[in-house]
Amino acid sequence: MSDELSKTYEPKEVESKWYKTWEDGKYFAPKKGKTGKSYCIIMPPPNVTGILHAGHALDITTQDALIRFKRMKGYESLFLPGMDHAGISTQAKVEAKLWDEQKKTKDDLSREDFLKMTWDWKDEFGGNIANQQKVMGASCDWDYSMFTLDPEANEAVRKAFVSLYNEGLIYQSDYIINWDPKLQSAISDAEVIHEEKNGAFYHLHYKVKDSDIKLEIATTRPETLLGDTAVAVNPNDDRFKHLIGKKAIVPICNREVPIVGDEYVDIEKGTGCLKVTPGHDFNDFDIGKRHNLEIINILNKDGTLNSFGLEFEGMTCKEARKKTVAKLKELDLFVDEKNHVHQVGHGERSGVVIEPMVSKQWFVNTDAMAKSSVDAVEQNQMTFYPKGWENTYFSYQRNPRNWCISRQLIWGHRIPVFTCQSCNHQWADEEVDPSACPKCSKGDLIQDPDVLDTWFSSGLWPMTTLGWPNKERMAERGFERFYPTSVLVTGFDIIFFWVARMMMMGEKLTGKVPFEKTYIHAIVRDKLGRKMSKSLGNGIDPIEMCETYGADAFRFTLAAGSGYNRNINLDVERIGGYRNFINKIWNAYRFIKPHLDLAKSELPTDLDAQEKWIISELNQTAKVMNESIEDFRFDDSCSALYSFIYDSFCSWFIELSKGTLSGEDLELRTRRATVLKFCFKDIVKLLHPFSPFITEELWQDLKEPSEDLLITQEYPEFQNSMIHELEQENMNKFIEIVSGARNLRQSVNIKPKEKVDLHLFTDEEQLAKFLEENQLGIKELANAENINVSKKSSDRPQKAIMKATTHTEVFVPLEGVIDLNEQVKRLETDLKKTTKDFEKYDKKLSNEKFLANAKPEVIDDVKTNHSDLKEKIESLQERIKAFS
RNA sequence: GCGGCCGUAGCUCAGUGGGAGAGCACUACGUUGACAUCGUAGGGGUCACAAGUUCAAUCCUUGUCGGCCGCACCA
């Protein structure tokens, strides 16, 4: 740092300089600290080919603040980064590229060629996001970084799979699943998003065989009738129960299907008759199972109708629906059509309508795991912050559904299940490429073609990244020390996807929860509260923000907006505001810098009142910081720091120090410079977790030669020896008096440069003494020539303006003409307001029940306020009388 | 349908059973050597509405209105 500081802080070079210094110096590597304890955060791995968005920026900010805080507190701290292969989205990007460049689909390539192309893509674009995280200041130990498709991660996935498979918890089954016709893959329930769509109820007629009866059936999806294998009625429904056991005739395909009785059918709903399509409806699938119905799949993988679609074969469901309705009209089996708004499932990634379809897939039975994951939270082995989010977690985990984990994709972890062509034996293997069947020892094996749901590997991530299941790797990476990890920081949208799965897998495979706390942070939205999206163009690019305002300001903005809230509506102007704050700190330092040569390294014991006050305020701030960061109340941390630095330190303490520092008294100057330096050292320490760069930069100038970088310094703690209650009380009065004097000046348009005399009247002896001792300060801050402190029994100036503060009357005598009417009016306004307050207390004190029931400290407070306000009222009344 | 959250200053939000808060925005004045990315001072709120519990309710309870979210239901 040069001797001449620029007038405004320039973050750019400072930031890259310090990041490099920290990284090159291995400052992010975990080191044993004074507590002997460890602290670990596993970063939610972003998509390998993704770019940093505002949500990531918040992730990084909160996690890095916690890590830096704990590191300074003396914990062996590890911020462990990684990247996710993001099966669906990465494959989709590569498929798009393949089509753009070669007009080919993945099916035109061999599996191996497609995989190679994807790896090439990953090598080309992967890792950008890590560089962006570095710009944000993330103090991750990059040596730990892992990719979900690394061999180590694969090993963990195979180990977990085999273990669950052998326990019978992973099984293959023909079951109804959500089919995404665009991805041409199964997806899990959680990946289906329901959206309201306008549709219609179509009322149709199904004939009953060997009778004239026509059953009226309502449906939103008439085209699925081609897959109907029953008609269901409620067995208690008098209208229809006699038909149970007879056959109905499905229109168009003229299939004869049984009429079954099933309690699921609601007599009140619709027409009371239900067409049953076990192949394409979740509830119908269950009915089908109960009645042993045939399952007919009428769809191709791309969502068009197959040969069961008869004349509609090859059409999409939407087209087929229209044609079916037309055909039914032709056949005179169409009754009616009513508009209807209903929820339709869409693929989270693909956006297309999801088709329920029966298909052979791999599932995890999560019943037992889900239950124990609920117990763990109920027993506080893992705690949600804010606590309310546990309800969301419980609502998922108390109603577990079997988890479909197979995906018909290429990019991902291949399912490690092999089938022997010779003896048909099927088994799961931890080996990548087993050579022979364990049963018949023949070598003609085929592996299941599917890959696993990305969330399967994500669920193992806290274990995988710490070396599990390999003993050597676990020792090397510190599994024993870091697992369970300390806290998981993430958004509420993946409580089910990720938090729940990690909980289940962690407990199942290691017997321990994977993290002790989960902090659910807000979703970053635009300033109008809208979700950031490409189509709205309202996204905020973190890198652009760092370039415009500096990473420190951007981080501080995000942290200041983070507490237990659900949304952060991020206004770019806000970042500008905090950039100004960062600049303020820079300039505050620019002011004290020339005096630092005088400063001693130890805080002296003979502090004056102002110094005791600022030390006390600093101490109070340290207390709030320690408590609020621990509770994830970063909003409280930031506001405590902001007001301490801006108001207490800059507006009052620095202003009060100017006289001393430019004065003659070397002893006073030395002591004041020492206190300023002491405070500033603590300020940069306190701020470091949120704004690491400027603080490290300033630390270079402040530190003793023997001291290391700020990132390794001890975080300030609250200390009893630094409490100075009396000085805090007096300074509050002092501030009230100075502000009152300034207010008086402005009320009669006294120019800021013009000096006035100040007469203060108080009967509080120790306050009077304090005011006498701090006359110089009052003079400078209120621009007064002379100060006079007297008892209230003394005469008041005749021609003056006056303001009543707690225990003290502030008078500014004036030359020339005073508009007394105006002064009386001003005082009367004050009197009215004060009287109103006073009456509230007066009423309480005259209420016997209050005196009998209220807590003693409350009564004391009320009494104090009562007498303070009474004193103020008397002052005001007296002055009004004198002026009138 | 079930469940949850929220309604406090123009905006974004803290907050507590006992004196209504912050930041931003706004108004007036101001270039005294840290800072105009600044300073000083100021205006602004029936704490959605109603009832109840309490000595005391913005805070607890119930209801109403308004906004949001999750899950379920797709006859």
Side-chain angles (χ1 to χ4, degrees), chain A residues 64-77:
Chain A
D64 194 52
L66 288 165
I67 286 285
R68 287 180 186 268
F69 172 69
K70 288 288 181 176
R71 194 185 281 127
M72 291 173 82
K73 297 276 284 186
Y75 287 73
E76 182 179 8
S77 301

Side-chain angles (χ1 to χ4, degrees), chain A residues 445-500:
Chain A
L445 315 175
I446 48 167
Q447 183 172 7
D448 192 287
D450 290 351
V451 301
L452 287 164
D453 179 6
T454 302
W455 296 104
F456 188 90
S457 56
S458 303
L460 304 168
W461 199 236
M463 296 175 270
T464 306
T465 49
L466 291 171
W468 187 87
N470 179 297
K471 289 269 183 305
E472 259 173 53
R473 218 163 48 230
M474 285 163 80
E476 188 188 315
R477 294 172 79 91
F479 190 93
E480 283 303 318
R481 274 167 294 153
F482 296 124
Y483 191 97
T485 64
S486 308
V487 54
L488 173 75
V489 177
T490 191
F492 68 80
D493 46 338
I494 53 176
I495 289 178
F496 176 68
F497 279 116
W498 200 38
V499 180

Side-chain angles (χ1 to χ4, degrees), chain A residues 764-776:
Chain A
E764 298 279 307
E765 275 179 39
Q766 65 83 16
L767 177 60
K769 186 164 161 267
F770 178 85
L771 294 173
E772 291 278 6
E773 284 168 7
N774 290 280
Q775 273 198 39
L776 189 67

Side-chain angles (χ1 to χ4, degrees), chain A residues 5-11 579 582-584 586-587 590:
Chain A
L5 298 187
S6 63
K7 222 172 155 180
T8 50
Y9 171 60
E10 305 291 345
R579 184 267 320 266
I582 296 291
N583 190 55
K584 180 93 180 172
W586 178 259
N587 276 290
R590 221 156 63 89

Side-chain angles (χ1 to χ4, degrees), chain A residues 608 610 651-660 672 731 734-735 737-739 741-742 758 760 770-785 787:
Chain A
D608 69 19
Q610 293 171 8
S651 294
W652 292 100
F653 194 63
I654 284 189
E655 292 304 325
L656 280 168
S657 300
K658 285 179 176 173
T660 309
R672 186 52 61 104
M731 270 303 290
F734 176 98
I735 288 170
I737 289 163
V738 171
S739 301
R742 287 164 169 174
L758 221 49
L760 306 177
F770 178 85
L771 294 173
E772 291 278 6
E773 284 168 7
N774 290 280
Q775 273 198 39
L776 189 67
I778 301 176
K779 280 183 189 167
E780 282 179 355
L781 299 194
N783 200 22
E785 184 90 61
I787 309 270

Side-chain angles (χ1 to χ4, degrees), chain A residues 695-750:
Chain A
T695 48
E696 187 71 86
E697 174 76 0
L698 294 176
W699 176 254
Q700 286 313 296
D701 246 32
L702 287 158
K703 74 184 193 75
E704 302 297 320
S706 62
E707 287 175 316
D708 196 356
L709 298 188
L710 179 59
I711 190 172
T712 67
Q713 297 304 308
E714 284 187 20
Y715 204 76
E717 305 272 355
F718 179 78
Q719 289 173 39
N720 286 324
S721 61
M722 285 165 69
I723 306 172
H724 301 289
E725 273 179 27
L726 180 65
E727 282 73 16
Q728 283 192 289
E729 223 172 89
N730 282 332
M731 270 303 290
N732 288 340
K733 305 257 164 43
F734 176 98
I735 288 170
E736 206 186 340
I737 289 163
V738 171
S739 301
R742 287 164 169 174
N743 173 289
L744 282 176
R745 299 173 55 110
Q746 295 219 354
S747 75
V748 290
N749 290 321
I750 295 171

Side-chain angles (χ1 to χ4, degrees), chain A residues 793-813:
Chain A
S793 54
S794 325
D795 288 338
R796 310 294 197 275
Q798 281 306 306
K799 287 179 72 179
I801 49 178
M802 175 271 195
K803 187 159 184 90
T805 69
T806 314
H807 301 311
T808 308
E809 292 175 10
V810 181
F811 277 78
V812 176

